[in-house]
Amino acid sequence: MTATAERKKAPWPVQFYRSAVGKKWVMAVTGILLIGFVVAHMIGNWKIFLPDVDGVPDIDIYAHALRELFVPFIPEHVTLWIMRTGLIVAFLFHIHAAYALTLMNRQARTEDYRGPRTYVAANYASRTMRWSGVIFLLFVLFHLADLTWGAQPMAPDAWVRGEVYANFVATFNRPAVTAFYVTAMVALGFHLYHGIWSMFQSLGINHPKINNWRRYLATGLSALIVVGNAIMPLAVLFGFVE
Amino acid sequence: MNITLQVWRQKAPTSPGKFVTYQMGGVSEEMSFLEMLDLLNERLIGDSEEPVEFDHDCREGICGSCGVMIDGQAHGPELGTATCQLHMRKFNDGATITVEPWRATGFPLIKDLVVDRSSFDRIVEHGGFISVDTGSAPDANLTPVPKEVADTAFDAAACIGCGACVAACPNGAANLFTAAKINHLSLLPQGQAERWTRVEGMVDTMEQYFGSCTNHGECEKACPKLISIDFIAMMNADYVKAKLKNRRLAGRHG
Amino acid sequence: MTFQLDAKVPAGSIEEKWENHKFSVKLVNPSNKRKFKIIIVGTGLAGASAASTLGELGYEVEAFTFHDSPRRAHSIAAQGGINAAKNYRNDGDSVYRLFYDTVKGGDYRSREANVYRLADVSLNIIDQAAAQGVPFAREYGGLLDNRSFGGAQVSRTFYARGQTGQQLLLGAYQALMRQVEKRNVKLHTRSEMLDVVVKDGRAVGIVVRNLVTGAITRHSAHAVVLATGGYANAYYLSTNAMASNVTAAWRAHRKGAGFANPCFTQIHPTCIPASDEFQSKLTLMSESLRNDGRIWVPKRADDKRPANQIPEEDRDYYLERIYPAFGNLVPRDVASRVAKRMVDSGKGVGPLQNGVYLDFNQAIEREGQDTIEERYSNLFEMYERITDENPYEIPMRIYPAPHYTMGGLWVDYNLMTTIPGLYSIGEANFSDHGANRLGASALMQGLADGYFVLPYTIGDYLSGYLNTPPVPTDDPAFDEAAATVADNVRRFLDTNGSRSVDWFHKELGKIIFDYCGMARNESGLQKALSDIPALHEEYRNDVRVLGGEDTLNQSLEKAQRVDDFFELSQAMCRDALNREESCGGHFREEHQSEEGEAIRDDENFSNVSVWEWTGDPASPQLNVEPLEFENVALTTRSYK
Ligand SMILES: Cc1cc2nc3c(=O)[nH]c(=O)nc-3n(C[C@H](O)[C@H](O)[C@H](O)COP(=O)(O)OP(=O)(O)OC[C@H]3O[C@@H](n4cnc5c(N)ncnc54)[C@H](O)[C@@H]3O)c2cc1C
Ligand code: HEM
Ligand code: HEM
Ligand code: SF4
Ligand code: F3S
Ligand code: FES
């Protein structure tokens, strides 16, 4: 029975996801969602640089607003949870696909080359996607424990739910934490340096007119995300924000 | 020139293999890489040692038989050049050259530097053609093909099926080979009728033998015909469409 | 016994013969087709096209190739193009003109009826290939482009960049793989046919060696088709792929198939000269280069200056001088011979003084570098990659090299050899090219045979064996054949001599290139005929083949092939000696005008010489098939 016939037994979205091409497509789409979140999240977080609004830190207002999004039409927290769920699903698919493809590629070369390889096109970023990804996963877990759940010892002793600004300053006054955040952002930068270029291929977006822009976009956007994120912890550590 | 060769020797698929070092004197700059291996074999036979087995035939870079890893690069250091067209003048006198077979689960090793690439034939079997029985063809000029299209289709059709893309790919993926064949046919008007079944059949078969593409782009640089990875993107797009298309309307959309 | 050579040419006017024949041949009805098993050896253009077509028709087909995939066949290397009398250019081409040109180009040594049929079906080939997705060159309007090739007066050559053979073969290969997937064709790769099994005078199967495991297997069928290519590799240095060989055809010959015109070999004038003694093969530079390049040598033999420092007055544009009318575009055989004369007279150029110049400087001045790049860049790059010289600045060096063999297994109008049930198609048969093949006609012939001729004619024979099952493979005939094959394999492993197979092959090549190459004469051929058997004897006692028989062992494969080349090359020389005339690729120095032009002898040699194996390579039996020319008047080729 042909490979296609074999796959045809499942409903088409499943068939599609079973194929490696399909998984890469899903990775690209979830990748875009994740990028979208990271960018939005970063812009939101930049509010820590803004002055207080009659005594309340601007970012606290924003965090509060997030929870009340679309109230009264939709009850409190619901919109936020919808977004969170979407985010979590995207993460899970992205990670599962990454895991499945990694296995597939291992099996595709059980006997590896004995001599040293000379790579011409494959760069450091593209060959470390898995690792930059995993480092990043660890970061996210730590990050949630730190700032969202306030779980010790990740969170600062002074952590208080809702006091985003205070928590923020508290956490990044710990040099180790800031260092970890910055490293994580660099890992993310590598991940996106290849990822953003790569996703066009995976989605099959290919046109002579845009092809050479893919590289610039990938470099530019990943640089923006690294810098834009990293300045916040650093700003705190070096006392520009307190 | 004098060179030191490290060649992978392996008697059988199962038996363990190892690098064997040979000192090669009297190598001429004019020699092709394979003629250098011929010379090695002549000398080995002279010393009653079994010659090194390697695949080759046309020695013009067109049949796709030849191909070995040379210093960690498929087909060696020269861009867009098959092993048989690589000449010794590309190496420095006194160099040490490491020669290994293609390594991929889809290319089981047969002996020394020879691997079995018949998995490529399996991929072509499952859609790599236009179904037109002999005699049923209309006059060739009834179907005009825009020159640009014909040229692009040719760029894909230039693939010689050597397997260097798989050998070079860090994931052992055959996406460049498969994409080349698919696009050669699916770009042409003659290939439209089977466009969607073709991409499904060939991609699904490919994935039974090879790894997945994470867009390293290494294949393109190893390809003796410099086939572009743009074709991989085009194949991905078609594969997605193939899953979504209402086949009953397929004729109406490009 | 000597054979009765019945060409089975149908009655009727030349235009009607094929039509009449197609009507008169017995048909096999569709439901019966699957009861017939056909073995096809070789999956080049001829083999792959035949296998796929017979599979489509519903026959049970088994295809064999020693390559690891059908796509590797030597056909892949063809560059220039394929002829067809489409007359898309409206320049006065027609089936009749293609027929006429081919007969004339072949120097009137081919069978009219076959050639006409070839020209006739050439039209369908292009349609078939285009429908398969062969990306032929096109014009901006989207219609097919043509070029004039090999000095033809009309533009009838279809091409796909410099890789026409590759694209046509991929088309046939794809059609074949489609049938393999449908289980209509069973494909055996890395499987070399080493003998034909003959029982009660008909071919009933083959014996095959698996090149990976060494296993020797038997396969029986109702008919066997050999599409195993040409034998130019007998010369060791040729433009053919390294593995091209005569073994299949020769073993069939030893089993009783007549071998026709072995001395008709084609030496291609524009190849890159050998660079050193390690040269393993020669690379062809497409003939089209002669449209713009000017061929010359220094006037004085002792002139050792670099090409660009030799002023016009010291250059000898010898082709333009000797043949004012055709100049650099004289046919292949003529161009080759004169080049050899120049080099032999000490005027050869290059480090080894083994070439002549092909100069593009004037063309570049006249048309501009871009135009020339446009036309030949891929060839120029290939040349530079091989020689490390830039042909835009330094003139190319070229020299003739063995390229194609018009001779081969004798076949009748149905493409059946003298062994009933054994067919031969493509370059392997003595083809439709007479004594010299025109450029771009071999691809045409291979595909004509495979797609459009054999599928009709084979039914005529098969229909006689309806409901007779293939001979069982434990039949004594199979035992005997399998045993000989096994002995042969062992013999070479047991010889334990001192010299490699290649060494002997090189020596053999030198002998036949010198004495049975571009120009031949009695004393030379006599010498060759005494040297070759001696060398063969030495070969059998002193060749060293290492390794085992049960694994991949390329020297063992070569050993068999070279052994057959030894016997074939004697047939070539004997045939050349026997043919007391000069025609096409066969030039006997005794038979030339004072200007060195070939002189044909239509009185005595307007025929095909068909050699019959007698058990002793030194004394084969000669049979002749006389050739009648009812449509084309015999004239002397003149290119002055
Ligand atoms: C460099 C070059 C350029 C050329 N350019 C042109 C051109 O421009 N135009 C043109 O018309 N012609 C050209 N020719 C000639 C043309 O390419 C060949 O004549 C033609 O392709 C022969 O095709 P074929 O199918 O008969 O044999 P091949 O393509 O040689 O196929 C032989 C097949 O038989 C198989 N085989 C052989 N022996 C055995 C065995 N014992 N057991 C199992 N399998 C076996 C091989 O594996 C192979 O599959 C060119 C030839 C050369 C060398
Ligand atoms: C959480 C852990 C993560 C892991 C383990 C991971 C892993 C991977 C892997 C293995 C790939 C495939 C490599 C490739 O296709 O080139 C990939 C691609 C990608 N990742 Fe991630 N990643 C993770 C998180 C993220 C995040 C948070 C983002 C975005 C902010 C992201 C964006 C992308 C993009 C855009 C691609 C390219 C998709 C494609 O090429 O189709 N990844 N990821
Ligand atoms: C250094 C850069 C970053 C800073 C300073 C930062 C800061 C914060 C802060 C202050 C919160 C708490 C909001 C709250 O209290 O509800 C938060 C939540 C969060 N951050 Fe970040 N963040 C950074 C980078 C990232 C990145 C790159 C990701 C990538 C996925 C990320 C994912 C999240 C998530 C998922 C939450 C929880 C949101 C929610 O409550 O649903 N953060 N971040
Ligand atoms: S795509 Fe290039 S590298 Fe891959 S098989 Fe074809 S020619 Fe070889
Ligand atoms: S190298 Fe491999 S990852 Fe894709 S782009 Fe080429 S197949
Ligand atoms: S030997 Fe044919 S491509 Fe190298």
Side-chain angles (χ1 to χ4, degrees), chain C residues 141-351:
Chain C
L143 301 181
L144 292 165
D145 189 15
N146 292 102
R147 64 178 165 202
S148 143
F149 194 72
Q153 263 89 348
V154 292
S155 295
R156 63 161 70 106
T157 304
F158 295 77
Y159 63 102
R161 294 196 189 153
Q163 304 157 29
T164 317
Q166 178 198 25
Q167 293 311 318
L168 288 168
L169 180 60
L170 291 181
Y173 157 72
Q174 287 161 204
L176 172 59
M177 294 321 278
R178 176 172 159 243
Q179 294 308 311
V180 171
E181 203 276 327
K182 291 183 161 178
R183 305 282 181 274
N184 295 336
V185 177
K186 192 165 189 307
L187 179 63
H188 305 261
T189 56
R190 292 202 196 259
S191 305
E192 182 162 28
M193 179 211 111
L194 290 177
D195 208 354
V196 179
V197 181
V198 178
K199 186 177 164 62
D200 311 332
R202 30 178 221 107
V204 297
I206 60 173
V207 174
V208 172
R209 179 167 178 271
N210 179 313
L211 300 182
V212 178
T213 65
I216 292 172
T217 54
R218 309 154 173 215
H219 307 264
S220 76
H222 291 91
V224 175
V225 181
L226 300 186
T228 50
Y231 54 84
N233 264 358
Y235 291 97
Y236 185 73
L237 281 184
S238 83
T239 63
N240 285 21
M242 302 296 287
S244 302
N245 69 81
V246 77
T247 292
W250 194 254
R251 304 265 163 119
H253 174 58
R254 291 171 124 254
K255 281 292 176 82
F259 205 103
N261 299 333
C263 81
F264 285 170
T265 59
Q266 181 171 79
I267 314 285
H268 196 292
T270 52
C271 303
I272 304 178
S275 60
D276 56 30
E277 76 273 24
F278 306 110
Q279 190 83 28
S280 57
K281 87 172 283 264
L282 297 168
T283 303
L284 179 91
M285 289 276 107
S286 168
E287 191 146 40
S288 52
L289 289 169
R290 285 200 281 150
N291 298 345
D292 286 299
R294 294 183 70 196
I295 297 177
W296 62 276
V297 292
K299 281 208 173 105
R300 287 179 295 103
D302 55 359
D303 192 338
K304 295 281 158 281
R305 288 173 290 178
N308 294 339
Q309 289 169 30
I310 301 180
E312 280 297 312
E313 61 273 20
D314 296 352
R315 301 179 175 191
D316 178 8
Y317 295 90
Y318 58 85
L319 284 178
E320 298 168 21
R321 173 170 56 82
I322 309 173
Y323 307 99
F326 277 68
N328 295 300
L329 290 176
V330 290
R332 293 176 173 179
D333 52 331
V334 181
S336 301
R337 253 186 328 265
V338 193
K340 181 176 193 293
R341 237 185 286 146
M342 293 299 148
V343 170
D344 292 349
S345 66
K347 295 179 181 168
V349 300

Side-chain angles (χ1 to χ4, degrees), chain A residues 60-197:
Chain A
D60 294 19
I61 301 170
Y62 154 71
H64 186 71
L66 271 179
R67 286 162 182 61
E68 307 209 314
L69 207 57
F70 297 128
V71 175
F73 303 98
I74 298 168
E76 204 180 345
H77 291 296
V78 174
T79 321
L80 185 58
W81 270 109
I82 291 172
M83 297 197 295
R84 285 174 177 172
T85 322
L87 201 59
I88 293 161
V89 171
F91 249 107
L92 293 180
F93 265 107
H94 194 87
I95 295 168
H96 175 265
Y99 172 75
L101 291 182
T102 309
L103 283 191
M104 180 177 182
N105 298 344
R106 289 260 160 76
Q107 281 148 12
R109 184 171 287 131
T110 42
E111 291 265 318
D112 205 349
Y113 290 100
R114 306 303 162 76
R117 283 294 311 267
T118 320
Y119 291 108
V120 191
N123 53 33
Y124 180 77
S126 73
R127 281 183 282 127
T128 52
M129 287 302 273
R130 285 150 199 81
W131 309 127
S132 52
V134 168
I135 295 176
F136 189 78
L137 179 59
L138 299 175
F139 161 81
V140 174
L141 296 176
F142 176 93
H143 177 57
L144 290 174
D146 172 12
L147 285 165
T148 311
W149 307 322
Q152 304 296 352
M154 288 66 105
D157 313 339
W159 185 86
V160 186
R161 175 168 303 282
E163 300 273 320
V164 182
Y165 188 87
N167 300 341
F168 201 107
V169 174
T171 217
F172 294 126
N173 273 315
R174 302 173 300 174
V177 172
T178 300
F180 177 54
Y181 267 68
V182 173
T183 340
M185 288 310 118
V186 174
L188 177 61
F190 275 107
H191 198 83
L192 295 183
Y193 174 82
H194 176 65
I196 293 174
W197 178 84

Side-chain angles (χ1 to χ4, degrees), chain C residues 21-38:
Chain C
H21 192 64
K22 277 193 286 188
F23 183 71
S24 64
V25 293
K26 297 192 219 66
L27 298 178
V28 178
N29 89 45
S31 59
N32 283 338
K33 286 205 173 74
R34 77 178 66 86
K35 296 184 187 155
F36 290 107
K37 193 164 162 204
I38 303 172

Side-chain angles (χ1 to χ4, degrees), chain B residues 9 14 16 24 54 84 86 95 106 121 143 163 166 201 228 231 237 240 247:
Chain B
R9 303 300 310 262
T14 48
M24 290 283 292
F54 58 92
C84 57
L86 177 66
D121 292 335
T143 330
V166 175
S228 162
F231 289 121
V240 180
R247 298 281 168 85

Side-chain angles (χ1 to χ4, degrees), chain C residues 42-43 45-46 65 67 74-75 78 80-81 193 227 403-404 427 440-443:
Chain C
T43 54
L45 279 177
T65 169
H67 285 101
H74 162 64
S75 296
M193 179 211 111
H403 173 61
Y404 181 87
E427 191 175 345
S441 289
L443 299 178

Side-chain angles (χ1 to χ4, degrees), chain B residues 35 42 45-46 53 55 57-60 63 89 111 121 128 133-135 139-140 145 155 161 181 184, chain C residues 53 56 67 69 72 86 88 127 133 142 173-174 178 190 242-243 280-281 385-386 500 544 552 554:
Chain B
E35 281 166 353
E42 275 299 301
I45 294 171
E53 303 283 347
D55 259 327
D57 196 17
C58 72
R59 298 206 174 186
E60 287 184 19
C63 76
R89 63 177 82 89
K111 190 177 180 185
D121 292 335
D133 285 359
T134 304
D139 183 274
V145 182
D155 294 340
K181 182 87 279 163
H184 157 212
Chain C
T53 307
E56 289 160 7
H67 285 101
S69 163
R72 313 266 186 237
K86 280 284 195 185
Y88 282 157
D127 300 341
Y173 157 72
Q174 287 161 204
R178 176 172 159 243
R190 292 202 196 259
M242 302 296 287
S280 57
K281 87 172 283 264
R385 206 179 282 130
I386 292 172
S500 75
R544 175 182 290 176
L552 185 65
Q554 288 163 334

Side-chain angles (χ1 to χ4, degrees), chain B residues 190-220:
Chain B
Q190 292 90 340
Q192 294 312 305
E194 292 165 296
R195 180 174 170 189
W196 311 113
T197 47
R198 174 181 302 119
V199 68
E200 270 192 322
M202 292 181 76
V203 167
D204 293 345
T205 312
M206 166 185 84
E207 293 183 354
Q208 288 185 314
Y209 299 92
F210 299 99
S212 78
C213 173
T214 59
N215 308 314
H216 283 295
E218 201 62 29
C219 49
E220 176 183 63

